[in-house]
Amino acid sequence: MTAIASQVQINLFCADVDACLTFFTRLGLAEAFRAPTTGPIEHVEVEAAGIRIGLTSAQVANALVGLGVDPGSSPSTELVLWCEDTDAFYDRAMAAGATSVVPPMDSPDGRLHYAWVRDPDGHQVKFVQKR
């Protein structure tokens, strides 16, 4: 049997799932799934360019299966959103509660325009546009 990945999803472990969901929906990402369907959110998914981004309660993940995740510690990964207008996404992110890491700038070779922010839970998000 050949193992083939049929879909990609990125999960971000969150201390505050509601704040992260608000942040990503204010960026224009659509909510695609929620569990449980009523009551406090344990896991919710938003969609961007056909990729699902899961926002999972770190507390629930640690309690259910002992993952030992610690949201808000130094980022070792980042979510990259390719877009048509980095400046607009950066401004929208800041209005949605992001913390600036690096404001919009051009790459040294001038081919890309990018910026970095952290969402309300400290996840690093990069916006990139081709010039």
Side-chain angles (χ1 to χ4, degrees), residues 6 13 15 33 40 77 86 88 97 111 114 123:
S6 62
F13 294 102
F33 175 83
T77 60
T86 292
R111 294 185 307 150
Y114 42 60
H123 303 111

Side-chain angles (χ1 to χ4, degrees), residues 86-87 102-116 127-131:
T86 292
D87 294 330
V102 176
M105 62 182 285
D106 290 331
S107 63
D109 64 6
R111 294 185 307 150
L112 302 173
H113 189 62
Y114 42 60
W116 286 264
F127 307 116
V128 184
Q129 83 181 71
K130 291 181 182 177
R131 285 289 193 183

